[in-house]
Amino acid sequence: MRFAVIAGCLLLSGASFAQGWQALPEVAPHPPDNPPDEAKVALGKQLFFDPRFSSTGTVSCNSCHNVMAGGDDSRTTSMGVHGLTGPRNAPTVWNAAFHSVQFWDGRAKTLEDQAKGPVVAGVEMGMSSLEAAIERVRQIPGYVAQFGAVFGGEQPVTIDNAAKAVAAYERTLITPNSPFDRYVNGDDSALTEQQVRGMQTFQTLGCVACHRGPAFNGPTMPDGQGFYISFPFHDSPYVEKYGLRDEDGRFAVSGNPDDKHKYRVPTLRNIALTAPYFHNGRVKTLAEAVRVMAPSQLHKTLSDQQVSDVVAFLESLTGEFPEQTMPRLPTTPGRSIVADTPH
Amino acid sequence: MICRLPKLLLASVMALGMSAVMAEMPVPPSPAEMMEAGQKAMEASHKAMEAMQNAAYHGAKPAMDTLPDYMNMVKPGDKFQFPPSYITVPGNRKLTEADFGDPSICAGCHPRQYKGWKGSMHSNALKDPIFQKLWHMGEVATGGKLLNHCGGCHTPIGVTTGTLKHNKETGEFTAGPIGSQGVSCDVCHNISKTNFLETATLEHGNASFELDPRGMNGRKLGPLKDAMSPFHPTQYSELHTKADFCGNCHNIFNPANGFPVERTYDEWKYSVYARKGIVCQDCHMVPVETAIRVATELKRPKELADTGLGGFAGMGAMKERDLVHDHGFVGGNAVVTALLTGEGSEHAEAARKRLQNAAELDLRFDDRMDGLKELRVEVFNVAAGHNLPTSLTDVREIWVHVVIKDQDGKVIYENGQLDSHGELDHDNVTIFNAVAVDENGKVTHLPWEVTRFIRETTIPPKGSSISRYAFSAPEGTSKVVAEVSLNYRSYGQHLADVVLGHGTLTIPVIQMEHEVAELDL
């Protein structure tokens, strides 16, 4: 009897792998030291939308990760304070909670760590230091009260707590129930014939080798480890055309020569909404991105039919976006903390 | 009854060679000392161990001071961190599970390899319930000396990360999430050298390898000189192309006395297969159809035409390979694969197929001088590059079952049937196996007790064995029909009963071969 039970379990796990396709969970995992609650998420959302923590008081997280849209900024590379632009295309914040590491090069292990980066990046929010940013928060009485209510303690307004609140909000940015998800859950009519064909093509071509799992961003990795892949892996005319090897990728972070041109595999959820594509944002359409990927990663050239089938399938990964409303922000009547404090 | 003299001679010559090697070893005491000091302990030891086995069932503490020294081949504190296994880690680095990748990660680009491995005995090396029970018995009987010995090959990751644990209450052995997956991708593809020159027998075995993982994106070692991966660095390893690689685990000697209890690699090494350069991988990393061709034509798979085994070794690869190796490592274990992956599963059926293609039978009738008739049965090892059976040969059983009927189907002679306890008559049936004894010469099936074999009847590669069955046909018999089966089971029923508990599992019998011959009288 016991043997039968063991055998049953193994068969199940085998089958679920063979099937491979997984719907997006409705809840994202969170670290043990940052459990979500309503007040924390609300605070995080305010901070996410609040431009006062950029040097000029004009750029918020939402400027580049627009949650009213695809969670990005539709630009080649992001524009920060004073119209400055950085080297990379903004990854979508939607479903970012399902990445095992953050940024194209995985230099932040968690959403909490990631939240601290752009604030002090010269071409993004441009603050001189995280201390300067948190000092601004401390000057807004409404925030001080909220931090106290959410985190408690003697000095609740800390950089870490601010990052925790933002991360807690970001973990609510999940887009389940896409046509693909409904199809996987048994609704055969959720996908068109072409999308089903594209799904098969996606699998047989081998796209699924990297773009797998519920977020189409790779296998489940151990804590703090990213799923990095060389891009482009093979030579093709696209390398030069789109400058695909112009920067070093993860090598710049790790210093390990094996990491040259490696990037974290991005999610394909809502990919139809997040053009332009790739780390440098040089490829403007999804069809072209698919055309670039095939020879670059799989050493294959696709027919136009295959490209349009795969694109149709990728369009089925656009999920349902939980309604986002602009939050009320605590104010400092008659006083601008942006003008009053040095950055 | 069975003519196998040359082989017996060979076995004893090898046994002599072995003891000579042991005598030269610097670490253990001299043979004289061993004789003197060991004799007393040995005499006392069998009784003690018998008591301990009983105690194992009743939860009593083993009497530690009477145990043989299971560490006498490897001293703790020597270069070997995990005695009595011979695993080493460069720089004696402390490993964690984070040094290894979960096989599911590899599956993305290597689905073919993953599919073969998942459900294989390698993937179940730690989970195998029969092995676990036997190990538990041994662990109790030896006072905890077999943890690294068995674990060294059954879960090298569990051993080197220290996550391998034995629960004395339940008898269960567990390891971390990756370690529990037995011999997984990141075991073999992180093996960087063999330590065979440092073993007590100067031969491969008892996990005689260096494990050098470099974490998730660390380089993977393999047999391709020009491998490229977008995920992990790659490194060519000549060792991976050789039988020596496999021999590090498929050759096992009792760490207390050096006696080789599993000799699969050695059996191969002195075979015609080795002479022809045919290695383990050539048969056990290809489908059975190809393995049969390898054995029949005595050519390596890459020298065979139209194997149909070409393809890409990984997803997105540039170069198509002539041969992509299967990773199912199919052998004769159709029992545990069926238990763990389901009756009739791909892995269980593959093992069955192997067994059914390994041997052939030749039947002849003769007239004897004394007037009796004789059926002569010759069993050929046609397709195994090691003995039949191999590995724990004192546990495995291959035997000949002969039924002779008259023209009406009435049985006039039978030999080799199972009795009501599922046992064979060991004195009168042709069984191909080994009979092992402990220090006191008492027959045992428990590997940690084995000091020598008193009988060894396995059939070497391309060898054969002849049995003769005398019978007389009753008056009026016009025709006799001989139906002969060659049967296999992974364990004798007695062992299954002792290890698993009486009546828990009937070890299935697999018919390897069946032949019929008729004689008109």
Side-chain angles (χ1 to χ4, degrees):
Chain A
M1 241 7 245
R2 204 180 125 221
F3 292 134
V5 174
I6 299 173
C9 296
L10 289 172
L11 281 178
L12 275 179
S13 62
S16 70
F17 178 80
Q19 212 168 15
W21 307 108
Q22 290 168 269
L24 194 68
E26 304 211 351
V27 180
H30 61 80
D33 67 343
N34 193 19
D37 65 60
E38 212 174 308
K40 192 193 281 179
V41 168
L43 173 60
K45 184 177 181 185
Q46 288 168 303
L47 296 171
F48 188 89
F49 276 89
D50 201 326
R52 287 174 290 183
F53 312 121
S54 63
S55 61
T56 54
T58 54
V59 177
S60 72
C61 305
N62 194 63
S63 303
C64 300
H65 300 286
N66 188 353
V67 296
M68 301 301 174
D72 66 341
D73 57 5
S74 305
R75 295 175 185 275
T76 299
T77 62
S78 294
M79 181 179 286
V81 294
H82 305 298
L84 296 168
T85 51
R88 293 208 181 126
N89 179 262
T92 179
V93 70
W94 288 105
N95 308 306
F98 295 109
H99 282 303
S100 63
V101 293
Q102 302 297 332
F103 294 117
W104 279 100
D105 51 22
R107 65 187 185 274
K109 289 201 190 305
T110 60
L111 284 171
E112 283 79 359
D113 281 348
Q114 189 278 337
K116 298 171 188 171
V119 178
V120 292
V123 296
E124 297 182 40
M125 295 167 76
M127 293 298 288
S128 58
S129 69
L130 286 170
E131 269 311 320
I134 205 70
E135 195 46 49
R136 285 192 181 175
V137 180
R138 288 186 184 126
Q139 290 183 40
I140 303 170
Y143 274 137
V144 176
Q146 275 186 277
F147 271 78
V150 171
F151 295 104
E154 230 162 78
Q155 175 51 283
V157 186
T158 64
I159 296 162
D160 284 343
N161 283 345
K164 279 182 179 174
V166 170
Y169 167 60
E170 289 174 337
R171 289 195 180 95
T172 69
L173 300 175
I174 298 170
T175 63
N177 215 26
S178 68
F180 165 81
D181 294 315
R182 296 203 300 276
Y183 184 83
V184 168
N185 288 331
D187 177 1
D188 287 346
S189 67
L191 296 186
T192 65
E193 219 172 276
Q194 187 185 22
Q195 285 174 324
V196 172
R197 206 164 56 230
M199 185 172 166
Q200 284 156 358
T201 307
F202 187 85
Q203 181 162 44
T204 49
L205 283 175
C207 312
V208 77
C210 294
H211 292 289
R212 61 189 159 123
F216 288 81
N217 63 347
T220 307
M221 299 296 282
D223 284 347
Q225 298 204 42
F227 183 55
Y228 305 106
I229 293 289
S230 296
F231 174 77
F233 179 44
H234 298 295
D235 291 325
S236 77
Y238 294 119
V239 175
E240 204 188 330
K241 184 173 179 189
Y242 296 120
L244 299 178
R245 286 206 185 108
D246 288 359
E247 64 152 309
D248 286 336
R250 181 158 171 76
F251 171 69
V253 178
S254 72
N256 178 353
D258 291 324
D259 286 338
K260 272 211 171 161
H261 310 299
K262 276 192 182 166
Y263 296 91
R264 180 195 71 176
V265 172
T267 178
L268 297 184
R269 291 281 175 178
N270 309 306
I271 192 73
L273 305 181
T274 61
Y277 297 104
F278 301 125
H279 59 276
N280 61 9
R282 292 273 300 273
V283 174
K284 290 193 166 49
T285 67
L286 190 51
E288 183 70 351
V290 170
R291 253 181 240 114
V292 170
M293 284 304 279
S296 299
Q297 303 309 103
L298 299 171
H299 208 252
K300 285 173 182 159
T301 308
L302 306 189
S303 68
D304 289 347
Q305 183 66 52
Q306 284 175 308
V307 171
S308 63
D309 288 353
V310 170
V311 168
F313 167 63
L314 293 176
E315 283 166 352
S316 81
L317 300 180
T318 302
E320 281 175 7
F321 291 80
E323 181 75 15
Q324 299 296 306
T325 50
M326 294 290 272
R328 301 285 309 162
L329 300 182
T331 58
T332 53
R335 181 168 65 94
S336 165
I337 59 159
V338 174
D340 293 351
T341 52
H343 56 266
Chain B
M1 188 165 91
I2 300 167
C3 322
R4 206 175 293 103
L5 194 57
K7 187 157 148 281
L8 281 174
L9 271 176
L10 173 67
S12 46
V13 167
M14 288 190 54
L16 283 172
M18 194 73 70
S19 47
V21 168
M22 283 163 56
E24 285 164 21
M25 288 203 346
V27 183
S30 73
E33 279 174 317
M34 271 175 80
M35 288 278 273
E36 204 179 325
Q39 201 65 39
K40 272 188 188 165
M42 281 185 174
E43 276 163 17
S45 133
H46 180 72
K47 271 199 171 153
M49 283 177 66
E50 208 168 43
M52 259 182 298
Q53 276 164 42
N54 293 331
Y57 294 112
H58 302 104
K61 239 181 149 186
M64 297 282 290
D65 49 342
T66 57
L67 287 175
D69 183 2
Y70 284 91
M71 298 294 172
N72 76 359
M73 301 277 156
V74 178
K75 291 295 176 199
D78 283 1
K79 71 171 283 186
F80 297 104
Q81 289 166 269
F82 314 100
S85 87
Y86 292 105
I87 302 183
T88 52
V89 174
N92 288 355
R93 199 154 64 82
K94 175 99 183 74
L95 299 180
T96 69
E97 282 244 327
D99 285 304
F100 301 92
D102 191 280
S104 66
I105 295 172
C106 314
C109 286
H110 305 289
R112 187 167 155 183
Q113 291 88 337
Y114 179 82
K115 189 167 168 280
W117 169 82
K118 184 86 182 166
S120 71
M121 286 310 294
H122 274 180
S123 74
N124 289 319
L126 179 60
K127 293 172 188 155
D128 175 349
I130 300 173
F131 157 70
Q132 282 241 349
K133 294 276 187 188
L134 187 62
W135 191 8
H136 170 62
M137 279 178 70
E139 188 67 355
V140 173
T142 61
K145 294 300 189 328
L146 297 186
L147 192 72
N148 289 338
H149 176 62
C150 302
C153 286
H154 285 261
T155 173
I157 293 175
V159 166
T160 55
T161 59
T163 58
L164 173 62
K165 299 279 184 272
H166 176 222
N167 183 327
K168 291 187 182 67
E169 303 298 314
T170 63
E172 204 185 351
F173 293 85
T174 53
I178 303 177
S180 68
Q181 298 178 65
V183 183
S184 58
C185 321
D186 265 3
V187 172
C188 291
H189 293 288
N190 279 312
I191 287 178
S192 42
K193 105 182 168 46
T194 166
N195 293 329
F196 82 100
L197 283 174
E198 290 162 272
T199 70
T201 59
L202 294 178
E203 189 49 277
H204 300 75
N206 292 17
S208 54
F209 55 83
E210 177 185 82
L211 193 60
D212 183 19
R214 307 259 176 95
M216 190 63 62
N217 296 334
R219 62 88 182 87
K220 308 296 171 208
L221 297 144
L224 299 175
K225 284 182 174 154
D226 54 355
M228 267 175 63
S229 157
F231 179 60
H232 54 78
T234 55
Q235 190 180 322
Y236 171 68
S237 160
E238 196 188 349
L239 181 61
H240 282 68
T241 68
K242 300 192 157 186
D244 307 33
F245 182 83
C246 314
N248 292 316
C249 274
H250 292 278
N251 229 25
I252 300 295
F253 53 90
N254 185 333
N257 55 40
F259 183 79
V261 290
E262 295 187 38
R263 301 182 56 249
T264 307
Y265 169 81
D266 285 342
E267 289 159 6
W268 164 85
K269 190 171 175 177
Y270 303 102
S271 75
V272 64
Y273 293 85
R275 300 267 182 284
K276 296 272 184 183
I278 295 165
V279 297
C280 316
Q281 294 89 328
D282 291 336
C283 288
H284 290 282
M285 294 188 77
V286 296
V288 65
E289 293 76 16
T290 308
I292 294 166
R293 290 183 60 193
V294 169
T296 313
E297 300 175 39
L298 282 174
K299 282 182 182 164
R300 306 194 63 189
K302 62 180 183 185
E303 295 158 357
L304 297 172
D306 308 318
T307 57
L309 299 174
F312 294 104
M315 202 77 89
M318 193 183 311
K319 198 169 167 183
E320 206 161 344
R321 310 288 174 178
D322 295 337
L323 171 68
V324 178
H325 285 103
D326 278 2
H327 282 62
F329 308 100
V330 181
N333 204 327
V335 178
V336 172
T337 44
L339 278 177
L340 294 178
T341 63
E343 198 61 58
S345 75
E346 210 175 302
H347 288 95
E349 285 311 298
R352 184 181 291 272
K353 247 187 192 171
R354 293 261 160 179
L355 289 167
Q356 290 172 342
N357 284 286
E360 278 175 14
L361 290 173
D362 179 66
L363 312 185
R364 284 178 212 178
F365 288 105
D366 278 320
D367 290 321
R368 286 167 51 120
M369 302 278 279
D370 59 8
L372 294 171
K373 296 281 176 203
E374 182 180 275
L375 174 68
R376 175 187 180 277
V377 177
E378 186 163 6
V379 182
F380 296 88
N381 174 355
V382 290
H386 46 70
N387 290 15
L388 279 180
T390 187
S391 80
L392 282 176
T393 50
D394 60 322
V395 167
R396 314 264 185 256
E397 286 177 341
I398 293 177
W399 73 96
V400 178
H401 182 196
V402 173
V403 182
I404 299 174
K405 297 174 178 168
D406 68 10
Q407 66 279 3
D408 302 320
K410 188 173 158 244
V411 175
I412 56 178
Y413 178 88
E414 184 168 8
N415 181 298
Q417 68 273 42
L418 296 174
D419 67 17
S420 58
H421 302 288
E423 281 305 324
L424 289 164
D425 176 355
H426 285 252
D427 295 327
N428 291 304
V429 175
T430 299
I431 305 176
F432 306 112
N433 69 349
V435 177
V437 294
D438 64 13
E439 298 98 328
N440 300 319
K442 192 181 157 219
V443 172
T444 179
H445 291 295
L446 304 174
W448 57 92
E449 291 186 343
V450 173
T451 57
R452 62 197 161 93
F453 291 160
I454 51 166
R455 197 182 76 156
E456 227 264 314
T457 53
T458 58
I459 310 172
K462 298 290 179 190
S464 72
S465 173
I466 297 167
S467 313
R468 299 173 196 277
Y469 300 87
F471 65 97
S472 66
E475 209 56 40
T477 306
S478 60
K479 187 172 89 169
V480 290
V481 180
E483 297 173 2
V484 179
S485 304
L486 186 68
N487 293 330
Y488 172 81
R489 58 183 177 183
S490 307
Y491 323 86
Q493 191 58 41
H494 172 72
L495 182 74
D497 290 345
V498 168
V499 171
L500 299 176
H502 198 83
T504 307
L505 181 72
T506 303
I507 298 297
V509 175
I510 292 167
Q511 191 179 76
M512 296 173 69
E513 199 64 21
H514 184 70
E515 283 292 334
V516 178
E518 294 183 4
L519 176 70
D520 291 320
L521 297 176

